């Protein structure tokens, strides 16, 4: 499966996949079985609820519950994993279980069952804005490590680990740099079983075993509710609030009240119950609990963690447009613990400043911005990349975007809309669009060179492009102009359509004009693959309804056309590669690479059908002759409506018939326009 979105479903038997790429699961509810995937390249699970996943009876007809693993979600051999905004609760065990493991009662918790289990075989991991509660064992095993931000881990037997690269069973495991930031760990789970079972650890907080990990602005607080002496007495053998390797690069984690009140002699505390609380009011800390948060939220003074969980399960039916999020809970704790950031209330220009505490390249990492929040937090925000190379992530709209000199932006996921100006420095700027990334601009006018490479995903222009631009399209979509927009290819600029996979041209939904204008010394180039040339025409992008609704026009002006037909290998071939509602003008220069000596080529400019066609004879059926043919009168553009004619001829006067250029055969790759 490729490029699949599954949304807003209640699943009766969970969901899984054993292969595929670019898969999104959004807004799911699963209470019957796991949501688990293997062998996927590009996977997102977001805004979904996965809870109460457990076996109904011991597997294989056993008479006792043992240690059969059951996960809320399991991920193996996945590249590019995003878990965002999900709710995980009570997975891998059943309420009312028999601690001795009798099959007459529900599934017992065990060491191998977790809310989230991410194997070492997973790469490029982001775990963000999730609420992960009451797991059988771990809330989340992020075994390779990754970007773990803004999550709430509550009442799991163990909250979270990130192990990174290390040896297990004498075998080197994969691992990653981990940034663990702005997470909350509260209430240590203490679900126990009898001698026949294996529970692993109890009341453990964070296991940070990955080398070079960064732990920034995290809170581990209240192993037990300080307002509940009975709960404090029941939580024995705390597994430790925070366990870090000596190779951790940075750690300012606040730890408070993570110890059983009865001072159990078997307690295995790896850290002091309190750290980094100097200057904080312990009375306020004691009142900053998840139970008190739930009480305020629900208007119920005796609210419990279970009450909060039941609210989270039902909130899609109660207020789907304003859900309670992990950020809301974290903000409550950060205010109480004195580490809440000042909330910016006015639009600003955010400057990208790579932070040594983080990755230094991610757009969606707050640490890399001088305001310590993200662009687009306030309407009207602008961005200064300051010449840095940045990986974009998220769904963001900004006003102006300044690349600085040599700045570079990789857009592999999400969507970035630039509604204002794009500015470049002396060394220009570059955008690489790949996978499912989208980059939308509202025109461009800078005289420094703007390189845009579209390998997959979508590029779209909704304004007037008049600046120096080099657009290279090998796949995905390139919407040159939507309704009311114009893409000018001026002196020194070019569009290169490389291969036949990409969709390039025009789309819109308002019936307005969409223009491609090849100006003096501008370049339009095509490189064929074995299936032919790419095409510039109207096409359905999916962003503007079921069919294009624009008046499309192409002005060939006095630019240069370059074609590389080497991949067609001397075959007879015919294809239209330019098509619009109106085509006017004629190229000043035409270059063709890859034409064989015993093969003829004809380019037909049909001003009645408004197409440009390439025709090739088979090798051995010609004499290496290159011809240009025309049909109709380019002046007929006036007949399709004044608006389109005016847009095509704006500032250029009236076209008259001119002598077509002579096609110039070129040695393979000799044309500058064809250089990749």
């Amino acid at each position: 499966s490729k490029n699949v979105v599954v949304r807003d479903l209640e699943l009766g038997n969970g969901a899984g996949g054993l292969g595929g790429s670019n898969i999104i699961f959004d807004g799911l509810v699963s209470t019957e079985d796991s949501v688990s995937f293997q062998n996927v390249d590009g996977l997102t699970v977001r805004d979904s609820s996965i809870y109460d996943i457990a076996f109904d009876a011991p597997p294989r007809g056993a008479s006792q519950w043992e240690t059969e693993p059951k996960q809320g979600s399991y991920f193996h051999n996945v590249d590019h994993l995003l878990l965002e905004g999900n709710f995980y609760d009570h997975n891998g065990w059943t309420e009312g279980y028999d601690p001795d493991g009798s099959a007459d009662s529900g599934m017992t918790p065990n060491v191998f069952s977790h809310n989230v289990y991410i194997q070492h075989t997973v790469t490029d991991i982001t775990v963000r804005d999730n609420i992960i509660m009451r797991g059988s064992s771990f809330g989340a095993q992020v075994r390779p490590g990754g970007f773990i931000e803004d999550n709430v881990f509550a009442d799991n037997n163990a909250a979270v680990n990130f192990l990174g690269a290390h040896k297990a069973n004498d075998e080197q495991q994969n691992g990653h740099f981990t940034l663990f930031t702005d997470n909350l760990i509260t209430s240590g789970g203490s679900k126990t079983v009898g001698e026949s079972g294996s529970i692993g650890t109890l009341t453990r907080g964070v296991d940070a075993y990955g080398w070079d990990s960064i732990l920034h602005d995290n809170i581990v607080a209240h192993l037990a509710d300080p307002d509940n002496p009975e709960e404090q007495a029941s939580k024995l053998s705390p597994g430790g609030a925070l366990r870090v390797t000596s190779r951790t690069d940075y750690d300012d984690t606040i730890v408070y009240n993570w110890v059983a009140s009865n001072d159990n002699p078997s307690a295995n505390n790896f850290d002091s119950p309190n750290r980094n609380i100097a200057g904080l009011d312990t009375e306020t800390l004691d009142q900053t609990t998840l139970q008190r948060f739930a009480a305020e939220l629900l208007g119920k003074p005796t609210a419990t963690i279970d009450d909060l969980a039941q609210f989270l399960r039902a909130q899609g039916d109660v207020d789907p447009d304003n859900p309670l999020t992990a950020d809301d809970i974290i903000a409550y704790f950060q205010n109480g613990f004195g580490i809440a950031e000042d909330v910016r209330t006015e639009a600003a220009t955010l400057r990208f400043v790579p932070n040594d505490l983080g990755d230094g390249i991610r757009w969606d990492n707050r640490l890399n911005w001088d305001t310590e929040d993200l662009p687009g937090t306030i309407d009207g925000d602008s961005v200064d990349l300051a010449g840095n190379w940045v990986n974009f992530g998220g769904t963001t709209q900004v006003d102006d975007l300044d690349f600085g000199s040599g700045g570079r932006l990789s857009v592999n996921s999400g969507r970035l809309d630039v509604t204002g100006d794009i500015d470049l420095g002396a060394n220009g700027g570059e955008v690489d669009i790949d996978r499912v990334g989208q980059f939308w601009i509202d025109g461009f006018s800078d005289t420094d060179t703007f390189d845009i490479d579209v390998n997959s995903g979508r590029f779209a222009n909704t304004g007037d492009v008049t600046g120096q631009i080099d657009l290279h399209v090998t796949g995905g979509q390139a919407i040159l102009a939507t309704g009311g927009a114009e893409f000018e290819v001026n002196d020194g600029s070019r569009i290169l359509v490389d291969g036949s996979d990409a969709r390039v041209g025009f789309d819109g939904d308002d019936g307005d004009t969409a223009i491609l204008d090849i100006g003096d010394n501008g370049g339009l180039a095509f490189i064929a693959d074995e299936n032919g040339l790419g095409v510039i025409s109207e096409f359905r992008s999916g962003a503007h309804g079921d069919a294009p609704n624009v008046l499309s026009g192409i002005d060939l002006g006095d630019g240069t056309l370059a074609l590389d037909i080497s991949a067609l290998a001397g075959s007879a071939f015919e294809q239209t590669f330019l098509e619009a509602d109106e085509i006017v003008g004629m190229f000043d220069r035409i270059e063709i690479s890859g034409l064989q000596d015993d093969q003829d080529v004809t380019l037909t400019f049909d001003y009645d059908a408004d197409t440009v066609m390439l025709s090739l004879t088979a090798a051995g059926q010609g004499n290496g002759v290159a011809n240009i043919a025309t049909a109709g009168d380019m002046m007929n553009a006036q007949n399709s409506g004044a608006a389109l004619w005016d847009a095509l001829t704006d500032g250029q006067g009236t076209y008259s018939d001119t002598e077509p250029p002579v096609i110039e055969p070129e040695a393979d790759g000799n044309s500058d326009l064809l250089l990749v």
Side-chain angles (χ1 to χ4, degrees):
S1 301
K2 295 182 180 179
N3 307 322
V4 177
V5 178
V6 182
R7 294 188 62 186
D8 301 333
L9 293 180
E10 189 163 328
L11 304 174
N13 290 290
L18 297 177
S21 62
N22 296 337
I23 297 174
I24 296 175
F25 277 72
D26 184 6
L28 305 181
V29 177
S30 182
T31 61
E32 298 293 331
D33 210 344
S34 304
V35 176
S36 301
F37 292 88
Q38 303 181 47
N39 309 317
V40 177
D41 183 13
L43 174 66
T44 292
V45 180
R46 67 187 302 271
D47 293 347
S48 296
S49 296
I50 301 165
Y51 54 87
D52 290 347
I53 308 301
F55 288 115
D56 294 329
R60 296 175 297 279
S63 61
Q64 288 282 116
W65 289 103
E66 297 178 354
T67 55
E68 193 76 21
K70 192 66 171 178
Q71 322 299 343
S73 284
Y74 175 75
F75 304 100
H76 166 62
N77 198 28
V78 174
D79 294 330
H80 316 294
L81 173 65
L82 171 63
L83 300 181
E84 182 176 56
N86 300 297
F87 170 58
Y88 285 91
D89 181 38
H90 208 294
N91 293 305
W93 65 290
T94 304
E95 202 73 42
Y97 67 89
D98 179 0
D100 291 327
S102 170
D104 295 332
S105 299
M107 179 180 177
T108 56
N110 66 73
V111 67
F112 299 119
S113 297
H114 315 288
N115 271 325
V116 179
Y117 188 177
I118 302 174
Q119 261 292 12
H120 273 288
T121 53
V122 180
T123 63
D124 185 17
I125 299 164
T126 298
V127 180
R128 178 168 55 208
D129 295 341
N130 302 283
I131 300 175
I132 303 176
M133 303 175 60
R134 303 190 297 179
S136 170
S137 183
F138 273 87
Q141 287 219 38
V142 190
R143 299 181 73 85
F147 183 34
I148 309 170
E149 175 189 48
D150 291 349
N151 301 283
V152 173
F153 300 93
D155 208 41
N156 302 282
N157 266 23
V160 60
N161 69 12
F162 40 97
L163 308 181
H166 75 285
K167 283 193 173 183
N169 299 324
D170 296 323
E171 181 179 347
Q172 188 73 30
Q173 304 280 4
N174 293 330
H176 305 282
F177 160 88
T178 292
L179 175 61
F180 188 75
T181 181
D182 291 288
N183 297 284
L184 169 67
I185 294 87
T186 189
S187 185
S190 57
K191 298 176 289 294
T192 60
V193 293
E195 294 181 359
S196 62
S198 173
I199 198 62
T201 188
L202 302 175
T203 62
R204 181 174 295 178
V206 181
D207 283 351
Y209 289 161
W211 287 10
D212 303 324
S213 296
I214 301 294
L215 287 79
H216 176 265
D217 279 356
N218 302 289
I219 297 172
V220 183
H222 303 308
L223 178 144
D225 180 4
D227 296 326
N228 187 338
E230 182 179 348
E231 180 181 296
Q232 294 177 53
S234 70
K235 291 193 174 181
L236 308 179
S237 301
L242 174 66
R243 306 202 298 180
V244 298
T245 175
S246 60
R247 299 288 187 131
T248 298
D249 275 1
Y250 181 87
D251 174 23
D252 64 3
T253 303
I254 292 175
V255 176
Y256 182 69
N257 191 31
W258 200 270
V259 65
S261 62
N262 66 354
D263 194 24
N264 174 39
S266 65
N268 186 17
N269 284 304
F270 289 84
D271 203 355
S272 165
N274 298 326
R275 67 194 295 263
N276 294 326
I277 64 167
L280 299 180
D281 179 9
T282 56
E283 183 177 349
T284 300
L285 303 187
D286 285 337
Q287 295 172 357
T288 306
T289 69
L290 194 59
Q291 290 82 358
R292 291 199 177 207
F293 174 87
E296 293 180 19
L297 174 73
L298 304 176
K300 179 181 178 181
T302 59
T304 64
I305 290 177
D306 182 69
D307 291 327
L308 177 62
Q310 300 309 316
F311 171 83
L312 289 166
R313 294 176 182 211
Q315 69 172 336
D317 299 324
V318 176
D319 190 2
D321 296 326
N322 188 32
L324 175 69
T325 68
D327 287 337
D328 297 325
I329 300 174
I330 291 168
Y332 174 85
F333 273 80
Q334 288 188 340
N335 280 312
F337 279 73
I339 60 172
E341 297 287 343
D342 293 334
V343 177
R344 183 166 57 90
T345 59
E346 296 183 356
T349 296
L350 284 71
R351 184 179 177 88
F352 193 89
V353 182
N355 192 316
D356 288 343
L357 292 182
D359 48 83
I361 60 172
R362 289 182 66 142
W363 176 295
D364 61 346
N365 180 0
R366 294 188 294 262
L367 296 180
N368 290 324
W369 297 97
D370 61 352
T371 57
E372 295 191 1
D373 63 357
L374 297 180
T377 300
I378 305 295
D379 289 344
D381 280 350
S382 294
V383 164
D384 179 7
L385 296 184
N388 289 291
W389 291 19
V390 180
N391 286 352
F392 175 78
T395 300
T396 306
Q397 177 176 299
V398 298
D399 188 1
D400 298 334
L401 175 58
D402 188 344
F403 279 77
S405 184
R408 182 172 176 177
L409 192 62
S410 295
V411 184
N412 300 322
S413 65
R415 172 170 166 167
L416 175 60
D417 286 73
V418 184
T419 61
D421 295 332
I422 295 176
D423 297 313
L424 312 172
N427 293 323
E430 181 176 341
V431 171
D432 297 317
I433 305 170
D434 210 339
R435 300 184 63 81
V436 292
Q438 296 192 52
F439 181 61
W440 290 65
I441 66 174
D442 188 32
F444 169 71
S445 60
D446 200 305
T447 56
D448 296 301
T449 300
F450 191 18
D451 288 312
I452 303 176
D453 292 328
V454 185
N455 302 307
S456 183
R458 177 185 293 150
F459 164 75
N461 167 51
T462 63
D464 292 335
V465 171
T466 59
Q468 190 84 4
I469 198 162
D470 186 349
L471 175 62
H472 180 197
V473 188
T474 58
Q477 300 177 354
I479 306 174
L480 304 177
T482 59
E486 182 170 358
F487 196 111
E488 296 184 14
V489 185
N490 295 320
D491 187 2
S493 293
R494 74 162 181 177
I495 296 173
L496 171 58
V497 182
D498 192 345
S500 62
D501 288 340
R503 305 297 301 274
V504 184
F506 317 98
D507 192 16
D509 57 8
D510 58 4
D512 208 343
T513 59
I515 304 299
L516 171 61
D517 181 7
I518 312 298
D520 292 348
N521 298 317
L524 182 60
F526 295 82
I527 299 176
D529 59 23
E530 62 275 10
N531 296 315
L533 300 169
V535 180
I536 295 180
S537 65
E538 294 182 16
F539 70 97
R540 178 188 178 276
S541 69
H544 294 101
D546 293 335
N549 180 20
V550 290
L551 294 172
S552 58
I554 301 176
D555 178 5
L556 304 179
D558 291 316
T560 297
L561 172 67
L563 303 175
D564 183 345
I565 59 174
S566 305
L568 299 177
S571 303
F573 187 79
E574 187 171 271
Q575 180 189 351
T576 295
F577 63 94
L578 293 177
E579 184 175 10
D581 289 327
E582 294 296 346
I583 294 179
V584 299
M586 174 58 74
F587 292 105
D588 181 60
R589 178 183 177 90
I590 298 176
E591 304 169 349
I592 295 184
S593 301
L595 182 66
Q596 298 192 14
D597 293 340
D598 54 358
Q599 184 179 30
D600 292 344
V601 60
T602 300
L603 292 178
T604 301
F605 294 77
D606 189 333
Y607 296 107
D608 289 331
D610 295 295
T611 60
V612 179
M613 177 182 289
L614 167 73
S615 301
L616 296 171
T617 66
Q621 301 298 313
N623 300 299
V625 176
N627 300 303
I628 290 180
T630 61
D633 182 353
M634 71 176 67
M635 295 294 288
N636 79 349
Q638 298 175 90
N639 298 327
S640 66
L644 182 53
W645 178 253
D646 291 344
L648 279 168
T649 61
D650 183 25
Q652 301 180 54
T654 302
Y655 280 100
S656 59
D657 291 335
T658 59
E659 289 294 322
V662 175
I663 297 179
E664 303 177 23
E666 298 281 347
D668 289 354
N670 198 37
S671 171
D672 289 341
L673 289 181
L674 297 170
L675 295 178
V676 177

